[in-house]
Amino acid sequence: MTDEDDVSDASPQPLTFPLPDVPASQGPPSIPFPMLLDFSIQKTYQDLTVLVELSPKKSDIERKVSIVQFAFSARQLFIRLLAVVKWARSGTKFDVCTAITCYLDQQASTFVDTADRLFAMSRDVLSQALLPSFQIPAAVDVLSLGKYLRLPLHIKNRFITEETVSPKEQRSVLNRMNQVIENRLFSIIKLIPRPMRNFSVRNGTVKFCVLGEFEVSATLLGQRPSTPWTLLNLKILVEDTRLSDGADLLHPTQTTLLHQLLQTR
């Protein structure tokens, strides 16, 4: 068998870590064995001295009983002391258990202290800490679409020029808008009051003018029959020189409110 086989057959040794020393303030209470032995000898000597002093005053039977009681108590005391000596031979195991208990107590105290400190930190320090606003929509766009569509428009306008509409295209669009407006007006011509039937369609808008009353410009933003009219301009033509001295009868704010009211209907 080679050396490599010997190495492979050898079982791995478990890792051992030294246990911490048990402080004097922790662990079970203990007493040195010499002190315990000294206490036992002093107690036995004291009991023997008392027995010697009291024996002359007792009868023969009482002396015998006292001697037996002294011998029995002394024997029990030293038997216990012998048991302690035999137990002390395996005291290293008890020391290991004491060290383990002390280590676990230290760990528990550390965990409790850590929890207390974290709670105090969350209450006093972290309550004022704020995280930045993470750009989650931007990250989703980049990861899913491979491009970012949320740049401000002024950046886009700065680097990307929009295609301009040619005059020919403008005329084509305006002519198409005129056709759509005329078709809509002719379809509802019977619903238009007679004073308003004098209208003109030009540049994609229709202008209704009732002399001495009002002038309205409107347009359509789509080709569907359900597309509502969009009011562009409203002008009141009513005049009264006696009240306004040639000025408009309605304030611009009143005209704006009237414009908004008509647009909602």
Side-chain angles (χ1 to χ4, degrees):
M1 182 179 294
T2 61
D3 295 339
E4 295 180 356
D5 296 335
D6 294 339
V7 173
S8 61
D9 294 340
S11 59
Q13 297 295 329
L15 298 177
T16 58
F17 299 95
L19 293 173
D21 296 333
V22 181
S25 59
Q26 298 183 5
S30 60
I31 183 173
F33 181 75
M35 184 181 296
L36 183 63
L37 181 61
D38 185 52
F39 286 164
S40 301
I41 294 174
Q42 290 182 6
K43 184 179 185 307
T44 304
Y45 178 75
Q46 183 180 3
D47 293 343
L48 182 59
T49 302
V50 172
L51 178 62
V52 171
E53 291 178 354
L54 297 179
S55 293
K57 300 179 182 180
K58 297 180 180 180
S59 61
D60 185 53
I61 299 299
E62 291 177 349
R63 284 197 298 270
K64 292 180 181 180
V65 172
S66 299
I67 292 172
V68 171
Q69 290 178 350
F70 167 75
F72 181 77
S73 61
R75 182 173 179 274
Q76 291 293 327
L77 178 61
F78 282 96
I79 287 175
R80 295 174 182 174
L81 192 61
L82 179 61
V84 171
V85 172
K86 292 183 178 181
W87 174 84
R89 295 177 181 176
S90 60
T92 55
K93 297 180 180 180
F94 177 76
D95 294 338
V96 172
C97 295
T98 303
I100 293 175
T101 304
C102 177
Y103 175 73
L104 295 178
D105 292 340
Q106 291 178 356
Q107 292 295 316
S109 177
T110 302
F111 292 152
V112 172
D113 183 66
T114 302
D116 293 340
R117 289 178 179 271
L118 290 176
F119 175 75
M121 183 183 298
S122 64
R123 182 184 59 186
D124 301 333
V125 179
L126 298 182
S127 60
Q128 301 178 358
L130 298 177
L131 290 175
S133 179
F134 297 105
Q135 298 296 330
I136 296 179
V140 171
D141 289 343
V142 173
L143 294 177
S144 60
L145 303 178
K147 54 185 178 180
Y148 183 61
L149 304 176
R150 300 175 184 269
L151 285 176
L153 291 178
H154 67 274
I155 297 179
K156 178 181 178 181
N157 297 333
R158 176 65 177 81
F159 295 97
I160 301 176
T161 58
E162 296 183 356
E163 297 182 358
T164 58
V165 181
S166 62
K168 182 178 180 181
E169 293 176 345
Q170 292 181 3
R171 289 193 298 270
S172 176
V173 172
L174 292 177
N175 291 333
R176 178 57 183 165
M177 291 179 64
N178 293 337
Q179 293 176 2
V180 172
I181 293 174
E182 290 175 354
N183 292 335
R184 174 70 71 85
L185 291 174
F186 289 141
S187 64
I188 60 173
I189 191 65
K190 294 182 180 180
L191 301 177
I192 301 175
R194 287 186 177 275
M196 294 181 59
R197 292 183 182 180
N198 184 19
F199 56 82
S200 61
V201 179
R202 184 180 179 184
N203 294 331
T205 61
V206 57
K207 180 183 292 185
F208 298 93
C209 182
V210 179
L211 297 178
E213 295 186 11
F214 62 86
E215 180 179 308
V216 176
S217 298
T219 188
L220 290 174
L221 300 180
Q223 302 182 20
R224 296 182 179 180
S226 60
T227 302
W229 290 94
T230 300
L231 191 62
L232 300 178
N233 187 22
L234 173 63
K235 185 177 181 181
I236 303 300
L237 303 179
V238 179
E239 296 180 357
D240 191 348
T241 56
R242 295 175 300 175
L243 298 177
S244 60
D245 195 16
D248 295 335
L249 292 178
L250 295 180
H251 191 271
T253 304
Q254 295 175 326
T255 306
T256 302
L257 293 176
L258 183 59
H259 187 162
Q260 295 175 355
L261 179 61
L262 293 175
Q263 183 62 57
T264 57
R265 296 188 176 182

Tab-separated table of all heavy atoms in Angstrom, residues 96-127:
chain	number	residue	atom	x	y	z
A	96	VAL	N	-15.853	21.808	30.314
A	96	VAL	CA	-16.227	22.033	28.914
A	96	VAL	C	-17.695	22.441	28.812
A	96	VAL	O	-18.063	23.369	28.075
A	96	VAL	CB	-15.946	20.774	28.081
A	96	VAL	CG1	-16.508	20.933	26.673
A	96	VAL	CG2	-14.452	20.501	28.022
A	97	CYS	N	-18.545	21.750	29.565
A	97	CYS	CA	-19.973	22.108	29.544
A	97	CYS	C	-20.191	23.522	30.077
A	97	CYS	O	-21.022	24.276	29.549
A	97	CYS	CB	-20.763	21.098	30.375
A	97	CYS	SG	-20.763	19.422	29.701
A	98	THR	N	-19.436	23.870	31.107
A	98	THR	CA	-19.555	25.226	31.646
A	98	THR	C	-19.118	26.265	30.619
A	98	THR	O	-19.757	27.310	30.452
A	98	THR	CB	-18.712	25.352	32.916
A	98	THR	OG1	-19.122	24.366	33.867
A	98	THR	CG2	-18.870	26.728	33.532
A	99	ALA	N	-18.021	25.962	29.900
A	99	ALA	CA	-17.554	26.894	28.869
A	99	ALA	C	-18.571	27.016	27.735
A	99	ALA	O	-18.811	28.112	27.213
A	99	ALA	CB	-16.200	26.430	28.333
A	100	ILE	N	-19.172	25.882	27.357
A	100	ILE	CA	-20.187	25.926	26.293
A	100	ILE	C	-21.394	26.748	26.734
A	100	ILE	O	-21.929	27.572	25.979
A	100	ILE	CB	-20.602	24.492	25.904
A	100	ILE	CG1	-19.431	23.765	25.243
A	100	ILE	CG2	-21.806	24.515	24.971
A	100	ILE	CD1	-19.704	22.309	24.945
A	101	THR	N	-21.832	26.534	27.968
A	101	THR	CA	-22.967	27.307	28.487
A	101	THR	C	-22.648	28.794	28.525
A	101	THR	O	-23.479	29.640	28.155
A	101	THR	CB	-23.330	26.809	29.888
A	101	THR	OG1	-23.599	25.401	29.840
A	101	THR	CG2	-24.551	27.539	30.420
A	102	CYS	N	-21.427	29.109	28.960
A	102	CYS	CA	-21.018	30.517	28.993
A	102	CYS	C	-20.980	31.104	27.587
A	102	CYS	O	-21.422	32.239	27.361
A	102	CYS	CB	-19.656	30.637	29.671
A	102	CYS	SG	-19.007	32.323	29.706
A	103	TYR	N	-20.484	30.320	26.624
A	103	TYR	CA	-20.421	30.800	25.240
A	103	TYR	C	-21.820	31.043	24.674
A	103	TYR	O	-22.073	32.060	24.010
A	103	TYR	CB	-19.671	29.777	24.390
A	103	TYR	CG	-19.651	30.095	22.919
A	103	TYR	CD1	-18.857	31.122	22.416
A	103	TYR	CD2	-20.442	29.373	22.029
A	103	TYR	CE1	-18.847	31.421	21.067
A	103	TYR	CE2	-20.435	29.662	20.679
A	103	TYR	CZ	-19.636	30.686	20.202
A	103	TYR	OH	-19.638	30.980	18.862
A	104	LEU	N	-22.744	30.123	24.951
A	104	LEU	CA	-24.120	30.302	24.468
A	104	LEU	C	-24.786	31.506	25.120
A	104	LEU	O	-25.538	32.242	24.466
A	104	LEU	CB	-24.927	29.029	24.740
A	104	LEU	CG	-24.478	27.776	23.974
A	104	LEU	CD1	-25.321	26.574	24.379
A	104	LEU	CD2	-24.568	27.993	22.467
A	105	ASP	N	-24.504	31.719	26.401
A	105	ASP	CA	-25.056	32.905	27.071
A	105	ASP	C	-24.507	34.186	26.455
A	105	ASP	O	-25.244	35.172	26.278
A	105	ASP	CB	-24.737	32.858	28.562
A	105	ASP	CG	-25.485	31.745	29.279
A	105	ASP	OD1	-26.503	31.272	28.727
A	105	ASP	OD2	-25.047	31.335	30.376
A	106	GLN	N	-23.217	34.177	26.123
A	106	GLN	CA	-22.637	35.355	25.481
A	106	GLN	C	-23.262	35.609	24.108
A	106	GLN	O	-23.545	36.757	23.743
A	106	GLN	CB	-21.127	35.179	25.353
A	106	GLN	CG	-20.372	35.216	26.671
A	106	GLN	CD	-18.886	34.984	26.489
A	106	GLN	OE1	-18.414	34.727	25.382
A	106	GLN	NE2	-18.140	35.065	27.590
A	107	GLN	N	-23.480	34.528	23.342
A	107	GLN	CA	-24.108	34.688	22.033
A	107	GLN	C	-25.533	35.223	22.161
A	107	GLN	O	-25.948	36.116	21.407
A	107	GLN	CB	-24.117	33.344	21.291
A	107	GLN	CG	-22.738	32.854	20.883
A	107	GLN	CD	-22.087	33.763	19.861
A	107	GLN	OE1	-22.730	34.198	18.914
A	107	GLN	NE2	-20.813	34.057	20.050
A	108	ALA	N	-26.285	34.688	23.113
A	108	ALA	CA	-27.654	35.171	23.317
A	108	ALA	C	-27.658	36.639	23.725
A	108	ALA	O	-28.480	37.433	23.240
A	108	ALA	CB	-28.354	34.317	24.375
A	109	SER	N	-26.716	37.011	24.598
A	109	SER	CA	-26.628	38.417	24.997
A	109	SER	C	-26.254	39.301	23.815
A	109	SER	O	-26.776	40.416	23.665
A	109	SER	CB	-25.598	38.564	26.119
A	109	SER	OG	-25.435	39.918	26.478
A	110	THR	N	-25.370	38.793	22.947
A	110	THR	CA	-24.990	39.565	21.756
A	110	THR	C	-26.170	39.746	20.815
A	110	THR	O	-26.396	40.834	20.266
A	110	THR	CB	-23.837	38.861	21.026
A	110	THR	OG1	-22.730	38.713	21.926
A	110	THR	CG2	-23.388	39.673	19.821
A	111	PHE	N	-26.956	38.682	20.625
A	111	PHE	CA	-28.130	38.777	19.747
A	111	PHE	C	-29.145	39.776	20.294
A	111	PHE	O	-29.705	40.590	19.549
A	111	PHE	CB	-28.773	37.401	19.591
A	111	PHE	CG	-27.936	36.424	18.823
A	111	PHE	CD1	-28.036	35.069	19.056
A	111	PHE	CD2	-27.032	36.871	17.869
A	111	PHE	CE1	-27.256	34.168	18.347
A	111	PHE	CE2	-26.250	35.980	17.154
A	111	PHE	CZ	-26.358	34.624	17.397
A	112	VAL	N	-29.382	39.715	21.594
A	112	VAL	CA	-30.347	40.639	22.203
A	112	VAL	C	-29.853	42.079	22.086
A	112	VAL	O	-30.615	43.000	21.751
A	112	VAL	CB	-30.593	40.253	23.670
A	112	VAL	CG1	-31.439	41.311	24.367
A	112	VAL	CG2	-31.278	38.899	23.757
A	113	ASP	N	-28.567	42.287	22.339
A	113	ASP	CA	-28.010	43.640	22.231
A	113	ASP	C	-28.073	44.142	20.788
A	113	ASP	O	-28.376	45.319	20.540
A	113	ASP	CB	-26.562	43.629	22.729
A	113	ASP	CG	-25.948	45.019	22.709
A	113	ASP	OD1	-26.410	45.889	23.469
A	113	ASP	OD2	-25.010	45.235	21.916
A	114	THR	N	-27.814	43.248	19.817
A	114	THR	CA	-27.901	43.643	18.405
A	114	THR	C	-29.324	44.026	18.026
A	114	THR	O	-29.553	45.027	17.331
A	114	THR	CB	-27.408	42.500	17.514
A	114	THR	OG1	-26.066	42.155	17.872
A	114	THR	CG2	-27.444	42.900	16.045
A	115	ALA	N	-30.291	43.228	18.481
A	115	ALA	CA	-31.692	43.548	18.185
A	115	ALA	C	-32.093	44.886	18.800
A	115	ALA	O	-32.786	45.693	18.165
A	115	ALA	CB	-32.596	42.430	18.696
A	116	ASP	N	-31.638	45.141	20.020
A	116	ASP	CA	-31.959	46.418	20.664
A	116	ASP	C	-31.334	47.590	19.906
A	116	ASP	O	-31.971	48.639	19.713
A	116	ASP	CB	-31.471	46.412	22.113
A	116	ASP	CG	-32.234	45.407	22.970
A	116	ASP	OD1	-33.346	45.015	22.558
A	116	ASP	OD2	-31.714	45.010	24.032
A	117	ARG	N	-30.097	47.414	19.469
A	117	ARG	CA	-29.435	48.496	18.738
A	117	ARG	C	-30.097	48.740	17.377
A	117	ARG	O	-30.244	49.884	16.938
A	117	ARG	CB	-27.953	48.172	18.552
A	117	ARG	CG	-27.144	48.246	19.847
A	117	ARG	CD	-25.689	47.872	19.618
A	117	ARG	NE	-24.915	47.960	20.842
A	117	ARG	CZ	-24.291	49.058	21.266
A	117	ARG	NH1	-24.369	50.164	20.533
A	117	ARG	NH2	-23.605	49.065	22.387
A	118	LEU	N	-30.491	47.652	16.694
A	118	LEU	CA	-31.172	47.819	15.406
A	118	LEU	C	-32.517	48.515	15.577
A	118	LEU	O	-32.906	49.360	14.757
A	118	LEU	CB	-31.365	46.453	14.742
A	118	LEU	CG	-30.100	45.774	14.218
A	118	LEU	CD1	-30.430	44.390	13.679
A	118	LEU	CD2	-29.443	46.606	13.131
A	119	PHE	N	-33.233	48.172	16.644
A	119	PHE	CA	-34.516	48.835	16.889
A	119	PHE	C	-34.314	50.317	17.181
A	119	PHE	O	-35.048	51.175	16.668
A	119	PHE	CB	-35.225	48.153	18.058
A	119	PHE	CG	-36.503	48.836	18.462
A	119	PHE	CD1	-37.646	48.703	17.692
A	119	PHE	CD2	-36.550	49.624	19.598
A	119	PHE	CE1	-38.822	49.338	18.055
A	119	PHE	CE2	-37.713	50.260	19.967
A	119	PHE	CZ	-38.855	50.118	19.199
A	120	ALA	N	-33.299	50.618	18.003
A	120	ALA	CA	-33.027	52.025	18.300
A	120	ALA	C	-32.593	52.777	17.041
A	120	ALA	O	-32.977	53.930	16.824
A	120	ALA	CB	-31.951	52.122	19.384
A	121	MET	N	-31.816	52.116	16.184
A	121	MET	CA	-31.385	52.762	14.943
A	121	MET	C	-32.567	53.013	14.013
A	121	MET	O	-32.684	54.081	13.399
A	121	MET	CB	-30.340	51.888	14.245
A	121	MET	CG	-29.764	52.498	12.975
A	121	MET	SD	-28.610	51.377	12.155
A	121	MET	CE	-27.362	51.211	13.430
A	122	SER	N	-33.471	52.024	13.899
A	122	SER	CA	-34.635	52.211	13.031
A	122	SER	C	-35.569	53.289	13.552
A	122	SER	O	-36.248	53.961	12.781
A	122	SER	CB	-35.393	50.887	12.899
A	122	SER	OG	-35.908	50.487	14.158
A	123	ARG	N	-35.588	53.481	14.857
A	123	ARG	CA	-36.487	54.484	15.428
A	123	ARG	C	-35.889	55.879	15.393
A	123	ARG	O	-36.605	56.863	15.164
A	123	ARG	CB	-36.821	54.092	16.872
A	123	ARG	CG	-37.792	55.034	17.570
A	123	ARG	CD	-37.974	54.621	19.011
A	123	ARG	NE	-36.697	54.634	19.719
A	123	ARG	CZ	-36.540	54.203	20.972
A	123	ARG	NH1	-37.570	53.707	21.629
A	123	ARG	NH2	-35.354	54.248	21.550
A	124	ASP	N	-34.579	55.992	15.595
A	124	ASP	CA	-33.956	57.307	15.732
A	124	ASP	C	-33.254	57.776	14.464
A	124	ASP	O	-33.295	58.958	14.134
A	124	ASP	CB	-32.942	57.285	16.888
A	124	ASP	CG	-33.603	56.916	18.211
A	124	ASP	OD1	-34.811	57.179	18.349
A	124	ASP	OD2	-32.911	56.361	19.089
A	125	VAL	N	-32.602	56.861	13.744
A	125	VAL	CA	-31.759	57.257	12.615
A	125	VAL	C	-32.450	56.995	11.282
A	125	VAL	O	-32.559	57.881	10.429
A	125	VAL	CB	-30.402	56.514	12.670
A	125	VAL	CG1	-29.532	56.908	11.487
A	125	VAL	CG2	-29.692	56.816	13.986
A	126	LEU	N	-32.938	55.757	11.101
A	126	LEU	CA	-33.484	55.389	9.794
A	126	LEU	C	-34.822	56.046	9.497
A	126	LEU	O	-35.262	56.033	8.348
A	126	LEU	CB	-33.635	53.864	9.712
A	126	LEU	CG	-32.335	53.065	9.821
A	126	LEU	CD1	-32.615	51.581	9.682
A	126	LEU	CD2	-31.338	53.509	8.761
A	127	SER	N	-35.492	56.580	10.525
A	127	SER	CA	-36.768	57.249	10.260
A	127	SER	C	-36.588	58.494	9.404
A	127	SER	O	-37.516	58.926	8.720
A	127	SER	CB	-37.441	57.622	11.585
A	127	SER	OG	-36.603	58.490	12.338
